[in-house]
């Protein structure tokens, strides 16, 4: 025999029959969902600081405020990271009408264990938070740094993507962006009413090249060589946000005959941040000063210093070469200051045809005596022609 239903105010789910218990369960979930949610898991509404009847715009505004307040790059509290994750999960559920409807009826436990699949529906919905609150943050703001909206990408930022001097969130304000309204920045007051998909991420721009001067000796240009250069740069970790400092060895192959000013580029080996494309690292060849030679393209210039006597009476000058040999150069004619002689094929290799070489140019410098004895001067007057 069926018992008459007991009024909801006085009945107890503990001592009723099975039939009454089912009725009681249905009643309590339908009419007292908020009470059950607090028992059955996280209160997403409380996490975002809003009422259960809040509309879509209020959910978004609450997430914006809470996410900026507890972002671990900005908030240094020990529990900021965990709080930031809870805020992202709450927004992920309450911003989706399907997830929110199941949560409102069955709470967190029902949402995550398929509580909405009972009955004859035949379908099962199990919710699992993806676990990356930073991905939710980036998706909402259209990038990892929402402050680009105000200041642009040209300002200097800290490696974590925030400029702590440019932006300070007032935890007592309802809207952390409200302070900007006092400065008359267009569009800021209406920012919280825009949908996140309307805020597009700023296109990444590659940093300008990082240029280093690379000094090489003429011997290295003559033979060719490989130089190992260590660079220190910042690189992104696998999470795409945090940054590490690392060293890298770049092997630079110097080919025979390369000219001064030749550029060797290592693409995108510069600093990497979440907001940039790494710069190219460029090395520009610069000739080292040599003790004996001066470079002139593929030619090498050597200054041969001789005495006035050698210049007038003739001599043999030993000319060194880049590869360490010595070439005797006989001079039987009078050598005037600035006289030039050329040794063919003793210069540097041609860059495009390394088997061919430029010339070794010998420029003569005549050393004049500081003084001449009177007797010698008379002899010179007699024997040296006037013209």
């Amino acid at each position: 025999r069926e018992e008459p239903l007991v009024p909801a105010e006085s009945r107890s789910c503990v001592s009723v029959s099975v039939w009454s218990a089912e009725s009681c369960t249905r009643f309590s979930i339908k009419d007292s969902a908020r009470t059950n949610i607090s028992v059955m898991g996280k209160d997403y509404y409380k996490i975002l600081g809003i009422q259960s009847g809040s509309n879509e715009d209020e959910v978004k505004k609450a997430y914006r405020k809470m996410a900026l307040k507890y972002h671990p790059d900005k908030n240094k509290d020990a529990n900021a990271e965990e709080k930031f994750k809870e805020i992202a999960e709450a927004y992920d559920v309450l911003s989706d009408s399907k997830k929110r409807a199941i949560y409102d009826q069955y709470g967190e436990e029902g949402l995550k264990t398929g509580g909405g699949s009972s009955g004859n529906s035949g379908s099962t919905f199990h919710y699992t938070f993806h676990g990356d609150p930073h991905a939710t943050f980036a998706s909402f703001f259209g990038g990892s740094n929402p402050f680009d909206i105000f200041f642009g990408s040209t300002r200097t930022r800290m490696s974590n993507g925030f400029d702590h001097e440019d932006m300070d969130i007032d935890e007592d304000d309802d809207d952390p962006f409200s302070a900007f309204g006092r400065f008359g920045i267009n569009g800021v007051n209406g920012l919280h009413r825009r949908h996140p998909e309307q805020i597009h991420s700023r296109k990444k721009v590659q940093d300008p090249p990082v240029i280093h001067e690379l000094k090489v000796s003429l011997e290295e240009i003559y033979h060719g060589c490989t130089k190992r250069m260590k660079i220190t740069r910042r690189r992104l970790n696998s999470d795409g946000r945090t940054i590490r400092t690392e060293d890298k060895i770049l092997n630079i192959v110097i080919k025979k005959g390369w000219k001064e000013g030749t550029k060797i580029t290592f693409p995108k080996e510069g600093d990497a941040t979440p907001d940039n494309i790494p710069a190219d690292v460029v090395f520009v060849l610069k000739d080292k000063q040599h003790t004996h030679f001066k470079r002139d393209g593929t030619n090498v210039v050597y200054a041969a210093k001789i005495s006035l006597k050698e210049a007038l009476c003739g001599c043999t000058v030993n000319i060194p070469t880049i590869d360490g040999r010595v070439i005797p150069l006989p001079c039987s004619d009078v050598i005037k200051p600035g006289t030039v002689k050329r040794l063919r094929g003793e210069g540097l290799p041609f860059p495009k045809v390394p088997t061919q070489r430029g010339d070794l140019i010998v420029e003569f410098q005549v050393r004049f005596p500081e003084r001449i004895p009177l007797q010698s001067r008379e002899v010179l007057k007699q024997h040296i022609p006037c013209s």
Side-chain angles (χ1 to χ4, degrees):
R1 187 168 62 88
E2 295 183 356
E3 298 286 343
L5 289 175
V6 180
E9 294 80 8
S10 61
R11 60 180 171 174
S12 170
C13 295
V14 176
S15 59
V16 297
S17 65
V18 175
W19 181 88
S20 298
E22 290 176 351
S23 300
C24 180
T25 301
R26 289 197 297 271
F27 184 91
S28 63
I29 291 176
K30 180 178 181 181
D31 296 342
S32 306
R34 295 305 305 131
T35 302
N36 288 345
I37 287 172
S38 64
V39 174
M40 298 171 66
K42 298 176 183 176
D43 188 338
Y44 292 142
Y45 292 99
K46 184 177 180 180
I47 291 172
L48 291 184
I50 57 177
Q51 300 297 320
S52 60
S54 299
N55 60 30
E56 181 182 356
D57 285 342
E58 290 170 330
V59 171
K60 290 176 180 177
K61 181 178 179 180
Y63 172 73
R64 177 182 293 106
K65 173 187 173 183
M66 300 298 285
L68 289 171
K69 178 179 178 180
Y70 287 100
H71 195 291
D73 285 343
K74 193 71 175 173
N75 191 315
K76 300 306 179 184
D77 291 346
N79 64 338
E81 181 75 41
E82 185 61 29
K83 183 71 174 176
F84 185 62
K85 185 175 181 180
E86 286 185 349
I87 293 166
E89 181 176 338
Y91 175 73
D92 189 51
V93 172
L94 299 184
S95 62
D96 184 285
S97 58
K98 181 179 178 181
K99 298 173 189 174
R100 182 173 179 178
I102 297 174
Y103 172 74
D104 285 344
Q105 188 173 6
Y106 298 100
E108 182 198 12
E109 182 180 349
L111 179 67
K112 294 184 176 179
T113 61
S117 62
S118 61
N120 300 322
S121 62
S123 62
T124 302
F125 180 85
H126 294 276
Y127 168 72
T128 302
F129 180 54
H130 54 71
D132 186 358
H134 297 280
T136 303
F137 185 87
S139 175
F140 183 89
F141 287 101
S144 61
N145 188 355
F147 309 120
D148 276 346
I149 299 167
F150 307 104
F151 303 115
S153 61
T154 58
R155 296 180 69 91
T156 301
R157 290 182 175 80
M158 299 182 69
S159 62
N160 57 23
F162 286 90
D163 187 335
H164 285 227
E165 295 181 356
D166 284 346
M167 185 70 170
D168 188 16
I169 298 173
D170 186 352
E171 297 184 0
D172 295 329
D173 290 343
D174 288 338
D175 187 347
F177 291 104
S178 61
F180 292 96
R182 296 193 292 270
F183 298 97
I185 302 177
N186 293 331
V188 174
N189 290 333
L191 177 65
H192 63 278
R193 291 186 290 271
R194 294 172 62 188
H195 294 285
E197 55 268 21
Q198 291 178 283
I199 305 175
H200 300 289
S201 59
R202 185 179 300 273
K203 183 179 180 181
K204 289 187 177 182
V205 178
Q206 185 174 20
D207 289 343
V210 178
I211 300 176
H212 296 275
E213 191 176 81
L214 180 60
K215 291 189 175 182
V216 291
S217 67
L218 292 182
E219 286 82 1
E220 289 171 330
I221 293 296
Y222 181 87
H223 296 286
C225 68
T226 298
K227 284 186 171 289
R228 292 167 57 84
M229 304 295 292
K230 184 175 78 171
I231 62 171
T232 301
R233 77 269 180 86
R234 296 181 299 163
R235 305 302 282 181
L236 284 174
N237 291 320
S238 57
D239 60 9
R241 300 180 300 105
T242 57
I243 295 174
R244 68 185 184 279
T245 300
E246 69 174 20
D247 294 334
K248 183 174 182 178
I249 302 297
L250 301 179
N251 293 315
I252 306 174
V253 178
I254 308 297
K255 295 186 177 181
K256 294 181 180 181
W258 269 6
K259 297 179 180 179
E260 184 177 56
T262 299
K263 295 180 179 180
I264 306 99
T265 300
F266 293 86
K268 300 180 182 179
E269 291 289 356
D271 289 335
T273 70
D275 303 315
N276 80 324
I277 298 174
D280 295 342
V281 176
V282 181
F283 293 91
V284 181
L285 292 191
K286 178 75 173 178
D287 291 335
K288 286 183 181 179
Q289 188 172 358
H290 202 280
T291 54
H292 300 301
F293 304 108
K294 183 174 64 175
R295 184 177 184 177
D296 182 17
T298 56
N299 297 327
V300 175
V301 180
Y302 174 76
K305 297 179 181 180
I306 59 176
S307 65
L308 178 59
K309 178 180 178 181
E310 292 173 324
L312 295 175
C313 302
C315 62
T316 298
V317 182
N318 291 323
I319 308 297
T321 64
I322 293 180
D323 57 355
R325 294 176 293 117
V326 175
I327 299 177
L329 179 61
C331 300
S332 54
D333 298 330
V334 173
I335 302 296
K336 300 177 182 179
T339 296
V340 172
K341 291 184 178 291
R342 187 181 294 263
L343 300 177
R344 301 287 181 182
E346 295 294 342
L348 296 172
F350 285 87
K352 296 183 179 179
V353 190
T355 55
Q356 298 181 16
R357 292 162 58 185
D359 300 334
L360 175 54
I361 298 173
V362 181
E363 292 182 350
F364 286 92
Q365 298 178 358
V366 180
R367 299 191 303 268
F368 283 80
E370 294 292 332
R371 56 189 181 84
I372 299 177
L374 181 60
Q375 184 178 0
S376 298
R377 189 179 303 173
E378 293 297 328
V379 173
L380 291 174
K381 286 181 180 179
Q382 296 176 9
H383 295 89
I384 295 179
C386 296
S387 60

